[in-house]
Amino acid sequence: MKHKNKRLLALRTAFPATTPILAGFLFLGIAYGIYMNVSGFGAVYSILMSLTIFAGSMEFVTVTLLLGAFHPLGALILTLMVNARHLFYGISMLEKYRGTGLKKFYLIFGLCDESFSINYTAVIPSGVDRGWYMFFITLLNHAYWVLGAAIGGIFGSLVQFDMEGLEFVMTALFVVIFIEQWMKETTHHSALLGLGLSLLCLFIFNTSSFIIPSMIVILFILTVLRKRLEKRGEPACQ
């Protein structure tokens, strides 16, 4: 009974912190589910991919990978590059996840931008179990995303309007993420580095094959410059 009350208290404390994420994840998840449906995948696929991948940007990218020629090495490298920032998230959370027992495995799997932001900065009230609090933050955010994808996947086929051009949602998503990060920064060195290196790789490798080289170069340069950027008050894990 004592353990049950501990988990319930942690859930009640965690839920209000995730309500802003609820609205955003539901909207994006529904868009992803509809996108999957329009691309020819049933609701089961969008639900399973949301459950097992749980990396929003990469899930949109995966649709393109599934529809294209089989290229496992390219898919692996692209996945590593798109989610490379999680390497820095993981390093930052090593101390906070210490002592959380088996929950640590799910905390690592479910680490996304939003869960990282909440758990890293959270001031957890005394009496609330820290491990269970972070666990429910992660679980709730995961559940919101899966719910949105399920709604979009199930009801996407019922939406009767011209879906042509919906694939642009992927480009729009990255533009919005970039603008959001730009507005949060006080300096823009990492963003400008990313733009400059991408343009350089575009010039060298052309439009059909510049993405992976540019991400490798960006990851390498930001890793090398990480300490210098952080001294300027700018995290390198953008």
Side-chain angles (χ1 to χ4, degrees):
M1 182 62 75
K2 183 178 179 182
H3 292 294
K4 184 179 179 180
N5 290 337
K6 182 169 68 174
R7 290 194 291 268
L8 187 59
L9 177 61
L11 175 60
R12 287 177 174 172
T13 308
F15 176 69
T18 65
T19 50
I21 313 302
L22 170 61
F25 271 20
L26 270 183
F27 178 79
L28 282 174
I30 290 172
Y32 167 68
I34 293 175
Y35 181 47
M36 284 284 288
N37 191 283
V38 171
S39 302
F41 298 97
V44 174
Y45 288 93
S46 56
I47 295 171
L48 286 178
M49 286 174 62
S50 300
L51 275 171
T52 55
I53 299 178
F54 190 39
S57 304
M58 194 58 223
E59 287 179 46
F60 279 96
V61 174
T62 302
V63 178
T64 305
L65 294 177
L66 289 174
L67 294 175
F70 184 58
H71 195 320
L73 181 60
L76 173 64
I77 294 174
L78 186 59
T79 303
L80 288 174
M81 294 304 105
V82 170
N83 292 287
R85 64 190 185 282
H86 288 189
L87 297 173
F88 301 106
Y89 290 170
I91 294 171
S92 303
M93 296 302 287
L94 283 176
E95 186 62 31
K96 291 184 177 293
Y97 285 173
R98 191 185 301 278
T100 54
L102 293 177
K103 294 187 286 298
K104 182 187 298 182
F105 295 102
Y106 180 70
L107 290 170
I108 294 171
F109 165 75
L111 183 63
C112 62
D113 298 350
E114 292 72 15
S115 297
F116 170 78
S117 300
I118 295 173
N119 284 334
Y120 189 81
T121 59
V123 180
I124 303 173
S126 60
V128 177
D129 184 88
R130 179 176 59 87
W132 281 113
Y133 175 87
M134 293 192 295
F135 175 84
F136 283 120
I137 290 288
T138 307
L139 180 64
L140 287 169
N141 287 339
H142 192 179
Y144 301 153
W145 177 256
V146 175
L147 178 62
I151 293 173
I154 293 171
F155 297 103
S157 60
L158 304 178
V159 180
Q160 300 296 326
F161 60 86
D162 187 3
M163 297 287 189
E164 186 177 357
L166 188 63
E167 63 275 10
F168 184 72
V169 70
M170 185 64 208
T171 305
L173 175 65
F174 280 118
V175 171
V176 169
I177 291 173
F178 178 81
I179 293 173
E180 185 181 39
Q181 292 297 331
W182 181 278
M183 294 177 69
K184 286 180 182 177
E185 295 173 348
T186 53
T187 59
H188 307 293
H189 298 98
S190 57
L192 292 174
L193 271 173
L195 283 176
L197 293 171
S198 298
L199 289 173
L200 178 63
C201 289
L202 177 62
F203 177 76
I204 296 173
F205 297 99
N206 74 48
T207 55
S208 61
S209 55
F210 82 101
I211 292 180
I212 292 178
S214 62
M215 288 186 169
I216 292 174
V217 173
I218 290 170
L219 178 62
F220 176 76
I221 296 295
L222 289 180
T223 302
V224 171
L225 299 178
R226 182 177 175 230
K227 290 185 178 179
R228 186 176 298 178
L229 290 171
E230 288 182 342
K231 283 182 181 177
R232 294 171 180 265
E234 184 176 2
C237 52
Q238 302 297 319

